[in-house]
């Protein structure tokens, strides 16, 4: 999947230069219709190294300073899940277009505050549920729209990580929950396919493995969502798979329709890499070619940049973010209380 670049230019800043933010920095610097102006991270060394590598003129450790630069028209925000509200509201109030990393928020109040700021500002707000740009998910949407599959009835979605993610990759795992970290990707896809909102949510979670390691967040969630149109989504996610697995992501998605079936299973796609130290399965869907990021994350960020340049509405707006946040918060609540949540 490739992206055509809309003509024009947007001056760009990136707040948060960690794992995901560094991808935004790289992609914004490569886009011919964006100029990467500034990078901000609490860790000055991280911000400075990224700015130097990708040609950004300004380096900040305080995002207020980046937002105070009038020449910056759009920002990516890639801070930990629970820190999205304050900076997003401030960026919108400063008149910037905002590409906010998923999840939008970890509370409905936070998402509502961002939507209010967005509607007042009149700028763009996109939430980066980038999996919509993965080829199997994008082409399934096209088949649904054409009617080739009939109507979608139910889906099964699994998205798991190894323990590497909550124990080593993320310093803030205890501040989030799997519905915000992983399930949200597949919930966004299901909602996009079904074309309606969640009506009833039941969920179960358990805390055993990570709790013993002193990380206060559940190991897994099993969630059933009944949608307004009668469709059903089953979502499961864990982040306690053994690190000995060759790839840190385990994923499967099945969609049953009145006239068809879709099975998205990356497992048969094999790209094994073995060195003397390590054996791994390399990613197929998003990767680097000659040092440049390619794939769905690049497509999603370029979509946002194009929207800033042309003035068109991004595919996933603040309104989508608020609806999805309501469902994700309900999943966490249903698992904690053992009661169904009706939306
Ligand atoms: N779309 C996707 O597929 C995808 C993939 C991974 C992560 N994410 C999301 O991206 C966001 C960032 O995740 P990550 O994996 O990059 O986390 P990370 O921990 O690697 O990076 C977060 C960065 O934010 C910086 N930071 C924290 N507080 C700050 C502040 N107040 N001001 C400036 N910088 C600050 C940290 O120093 C760190 O460098 C999360 O919301 C996560 O869920 C999305």
């Amino acid at each position: 999947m490739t992206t055509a670049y809309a003509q024009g230019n947007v001056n760009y800043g990136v707040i948060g230069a960690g794992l995901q933010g560094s991808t935004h920095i790289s992609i914004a610097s490569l886009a011919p219709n964006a100029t990467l102006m500034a990078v901000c991270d609490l860790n000055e060394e991280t911000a400075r190294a990224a700015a130097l590598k990708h040609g950004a003129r300004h380096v900040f450790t305080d995002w207020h300073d980046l937002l105070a630069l009038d020449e910056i028209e759009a920002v990516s925000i890639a801070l930990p899940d629970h820190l999205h509200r304050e900076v997003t509201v401030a960026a919108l109030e400063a008149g910037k277009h905002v590409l906010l990393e998923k999840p939008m928020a970890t509370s409905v109040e936070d998402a509502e505050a961002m939507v209010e700021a967005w509607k007042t500002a009149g700028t763009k707000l996109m939430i980066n549920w980038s999996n919509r740009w993965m080829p199997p998910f994008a082409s399934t949407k096209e088949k649904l729209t054409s009617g080739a599959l009939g109507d979608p009835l139910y889906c099964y979605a699994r998205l798991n990580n190894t323990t590497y993610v909550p124990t080593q990759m993320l310093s803030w795992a205890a501040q989030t929950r799997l519905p915000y970290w992983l399930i949200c990707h597949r919930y966004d896809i299901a909602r996009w396919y079904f074309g309606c909102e969640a009506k009833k949510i039941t969920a179960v979670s358990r805390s055993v493995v990570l709790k013993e390691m002193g990380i206060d967040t559940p190991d897994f969630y099993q969630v059933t969502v009944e949608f307004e149109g009668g469709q059903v989504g089953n979502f499961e996610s864990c982040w306690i798979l053994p690190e000995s697995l060759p790839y840190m992501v385990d994923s499967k998605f099945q969609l049953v329709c009145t006239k068809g079936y879709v099975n998205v299973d990356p497992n048969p796609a094999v790209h094994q890499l073995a060195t003397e130290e390590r054996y791994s399965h390399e990613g197929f869907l998003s990767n680097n070619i000659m040092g440049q990021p390619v794939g769905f994350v690049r497509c999603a960020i370029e979509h946002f940049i194009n929207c800033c340049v042309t003035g068109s509405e991004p595919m996933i707006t603040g309104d989508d973010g608020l609806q999805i946040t309501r469902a994700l918060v309900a999943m966490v609540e249903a698992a904690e209380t053992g009661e169904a949540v009706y939306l």
Side-chain angles (χ1 to χ4, degrees):
M1 195 190 289
T2 56
T3 310
Y5 296 104
Q7 292 230 330
N9 183 72
V10 60
N11 288 333
Y12 214 85
V14 178
I15 299 173
L19 206 66
Q20 192 68 2
S22 58
T23 304
H24 286 250
I25 292 164
S26 168
I27 291 166
S29 76
L30 289 166
N33 53 0
T35 305
L36 179 71
M37 309 286 296
V39 173
C40 171
D41 197 284
L42 271 185
N43 183 325
E44 187 175 355
E45 213 174 299
T46 302
R48 192 166 296 286
L52 258 181
K53 184 172 174 193
H54 298 284
R57 200 181 307 158
H58 305 280
V59 176
F60 299 110
T61 53
D62 183 337
W63 51 258
H64 294 90
D65 296 332
L66 186 149
L67 296 180
L69 277 187
D70 284 340
E71 59 196 350
I72 292 185
E73 301 163 280
V75 292
S76 280
I77 296 172
L79 300 187
D81 292 358
H82 58 293
L83 299 179
H84 289 180
R85 173 180 176 165
E86 194 189 354
V87 60
T88 301
V89 169
L92 292 164
E93 285 175 352
K96 317 293 185 197
H97 303 300
V98 175
L99 174 56
L100 173 62
E101 262 306 338
K102 55 55 63 177
M104 183 182 198
T106 56
S107 79
V108 175
E109 296 72 31
D110 283 3
E112 283 173 344
M114 290 183 230
V115 166
E116 198 183 321
W118 165 54
K119 300 232 155 139
T120 306
T123 53
K124 309 287 170 208
L125 173 60
M126 172 171 152
I127 318 301
N128 195 28
W129 273 297
S130 51
N131 285 203
R132 287 196 193 189
W133 282 263
M134 281 183 174
F137 293 128
S139 72
T140 298
K141 179 65 179 175
E142 281 170 17
K143 290 279 180 292
L144 283 167
T145 305
S146 75
L149 293 166
D151 297 324
L153 292 173
Y154 71 91
C155 73
Y156 163 77
R158 185 177 82 218
L159 196 52
N160 295 327
N161 283 158
T162 66
T163 50
Y164 170 77
V165 173
T167 63
Q168 295 182 63
M169 194 178 101
L170 297 181
S171 58
W172 43 272
Q175 272 78 53
T176 193
R177 298 287 178 266
L178 283 164
Y180 307 123
W181 173 249
L182 288 178
I183 292 176
C184 67
H185 278 301
R186 292 297 171 267
Y187 181 78
D188 172 61
I189 296 290
R191 175 182 175 270
W192 189 38
Y193 290 171
F194 296 162
C196 56
E197 306 302 336
K199 193 176 75 175
K200 178 185 174 189
I201 295 182
T202 51
V204 177
S205 69
R206 295 282 184 266
S207 295
V208 179
V209 176
L210 294 174
K211 194 175 171 188
E212 271 176 20
M213 295 177 180
I215 301 171
D216 185 18
T217 190
D219 297 333
F220 69 83
Y221 280 75
Q222 303 263 350
V223 180
T224 299
V225 181
E226 291 178 48
F227 286 78
E228 287 167 338
Q231 306 90 339
V232 180
N234 280 297
F235 304 89
E236 61 178 60
S237 183
C238 84
W239 46 3
I240 53 162
L241 295 180
E243 278 179 52
S244 56
L245 281 168
Y247 191 49
M248 72 175 185
V249 181
D250 165 55
S251 156
K252 189 168 178 72
F253 183 85
Q254 293 172 314
L255 180 70
V256 175
C257 305
T258 52
K259 292 182 187 163
Y261 166 68
V262 178
N263 181 28
V264 181
D265 190 342
N267 292 332
V270 176
H271 173 184
Q272 296 166 301
L273 182 80
T275 64
E276 283 181 352
E277 293 80 35
R278 189 166 164 263
Y279 165 74
S280 67
H281 284 187
E282 301 297 291
F284 262 85
L285 293 170
S286 193
N287 228 321
N288 283 296
I289 296 178
M290 314 296 174
Q292 295 196 356
V294 295
F296 67 97
V297 178
R298 183 164 177 174
C299 290
I301 295 171
E302 289 175 345
H303 169 73
F304 172 72
I305 290 171
N306 280 344
C307 289
C308 294
V309 169
T310 61
S312 51
E313 235 6 77
M315 198 201 287
I316 311 167
T317 67
D319 287 329
D320 297 300
L322 176 56
Q323 291 294 350
I324 292 169
T325 304
R326 287 197 173 112
L328 303 176
V329 170
M331 290 176 196
V332 173
E333 185 190 327
E336 278 173 8
T337 61
E339 306 281 338
V341 176
Y342 294 84
L343 292 160

